[in-house]
Every structure is written in C-alpha cells, then in structure tokens.
C-alpha cells in the first residue's frame, strides 16, 4: 500500500515539475494529448514546425509519398482508414485533390482530429472542407460493409506497376 502511495506522489511531483516549463508555450500547430471529454486541466502542448506544401513535387512521387504517409499514422484507426482510402482513390485523384489530401493528412497535428472529422463525430474546420474530405467521409461510412480490420497488403502496388 505504501509503495502505491509513494509512486503516485512521485508521479505527481514529476508532472508538477514539468508544467511550468511548457505551460507558456503557445503554438498554432502543436500536438495535444487530449480527448473530447478531457477537462484539459493537464493540457501540454508540444510545438511542431509548421506544415509546408511540397511545391514542384512530381505527381508520381507525391502519390507514393501520400500512400506511405496514409499507411504510417500515429494511430491504428487512421492507418487502416487512410491506407484503404488511399488504395481506392489515390491513383485517380487530380492534382488539386492530391493537394487537398496532402494538407488534410499532414497539417493537423492530432490524428484524432482527422478521425473525428472523417467519422463526422466533430465538425470539420472550413480549411479542410472540400471534395477530398467529402470522399473520405463517404468512404468512412462503409456502405458496402467491407471488413476493415487491417491496412491493405502492399502486393497491390506491384500489380499496378506490371
């Protein structure tokens, strides 16, 4: 019993010691470790560099990069959702749609935001509204009742290149 109380006390002291160092940091782009029901009393923001669009990137390179970034997310739910979405739509997207998708998956710093917008749990900010977000929201509804338990195998990439 004493060790549990001591551990909790030590944890509280460690967190209290960290707070003053990061409380004053304000950034327009940062990672928030919060959830919708969070009271935000212990909110810590970690500043991130601003997202920059890759201008002049060849379209085939952009598609490959976006495919990779769709598969390698910070949370499994988005990894599955975005990689399946990319498999279905990425090769047919126009350059404008690719720009929208790039911004959507790379500018927001919190993967939960993307997930909540795609599932329409939270309203999508105006800056991310557009054709690609509409496609993602419709894809997320899974009207065909596909089993989506894992990211797609990479074998389909080899089939397309042959």
């Amino acid at each position: 019993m004493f060790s549990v109380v001591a551990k909790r006390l030590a944890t509280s002291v460690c967190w209290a010691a960290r707070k003053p160092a990061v409380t004053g940091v304000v950034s327009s782009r940062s990672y928030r470790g919060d959830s919708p029901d969070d009271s935000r009393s212990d909110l810590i923001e970690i500043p991130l560099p601003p997202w920059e669009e890759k201008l002049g990137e060849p379209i085939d390179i952009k598609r490959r990069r976006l495919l990779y970034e769709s598969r390698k997310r910070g949370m499994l739910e988005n990894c599955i959702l975005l990689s399946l979405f990319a498999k279905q739509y990425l090769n047919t997207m126009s350059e404008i749609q690719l720009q929208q998708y790039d911004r959507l998956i790379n500018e927001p710093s919190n993967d939960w935001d993307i997930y909540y917008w795609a599932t329409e749990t939270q309203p999508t900010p105006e800056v991310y509204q557009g054709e690609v977000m509409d496609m993602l929201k419709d894809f997320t509804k899974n009207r065909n009742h596909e089993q989506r338990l894992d990211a797609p195998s990479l074998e389909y990439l080899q089939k397309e290149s042959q």
Side-chain angles (χ1 to χ4, degrees):
M1 174 77 174
F2 177 75
S3 64
V4 172
V5 172
K7 186 176 180 179
R8 286 184 184 161
L9 180 61
T11 302
S12 298
V13 169
C14 288
W15 278 108
R18 290 183 191 177
K19 271 191 169 184
V22 294
T23 302
V25 176
V26 177
S27 172
S28 60
R29 185 175 190 285
S30 59
Y31 174 75
R32 297 183 326 270
D34 59 343
S35 67
D37 300 329
D38 194 356
S39 68
R40 298 181 179 214
S41 62
D42 60 346
L43 182 67
I44 296 174
E45 291 197 7
I46 302 169
L48 299 173
W51 173 78
E52 293 181 17
E53 184 178 351
K54 293 176 176 26
L55 300 173
E57 182 178 36
I59 200 161
D60 61 320
I61 301 294
K62 182 180 290 245
R63 281 195 172 100
R64 286 186 219 151
R65 177 177 58 79
L66 291 173
L67 177 64
Y68 175 82
E69 291 171 347
S70 297
R71 293 182 62 84
K72 303 298 180 186
R73 303 307 307 176
M75 56 183 259
L76 181 60
E77 292 84 351
N78 277 358
C79 175
I80 294 170
L81 179 65
L82 295 174
S83 63
L84 289 169
F85 176 78
K87 178 182 178 184
Q88 183 166 334
Y89 291 107
L90 206 57
N91 285 330
T92 59
M93 284 186 185
S94 69
E95 195 162 344
I96 291 171
Q97 290 172 328
L98 289 170
Q99 289 171 344
Q100 288 178 9
Y101 186 62
D102 191 4
R103 182 176 200 168
L104 172 64
I105 69 170
N106 287 304
E107 188 173 44
S109 57
N110 190 337
D111 264 8
W112 281 110
D113 290 338
I114 298 168
Y115 183 79
Y116 291 142
W117 302 333
T119 59
E120 300 182 79
T121 306
Q122 292 181 356
T124 306
E126 188 64 34
V127 69
Y128 302 114
Q129 286 288 14
E131 190 176 0
V132 171
M133 180 52 88
D134 292 341
M135 290 165 57
L136 180 60
K137 286 177 181 179
D138 188 56
F139 180 81
T140 304
K141 291 176 182 167
N142 195 12
R143 296 182 202 280
N144 296 332
H145 304 286
E146 300 169 329
Q147 192 173 41
R148 298 177 177 171
L149 302 176
D150 201 3
S153 166
L154 291 176
E155 293 173 3
Y156 72 92
L157 292 174
Q158 295 170 351
K159 290 177 185 174
E160 290 174 5
S161 63
Q162 294 174 353

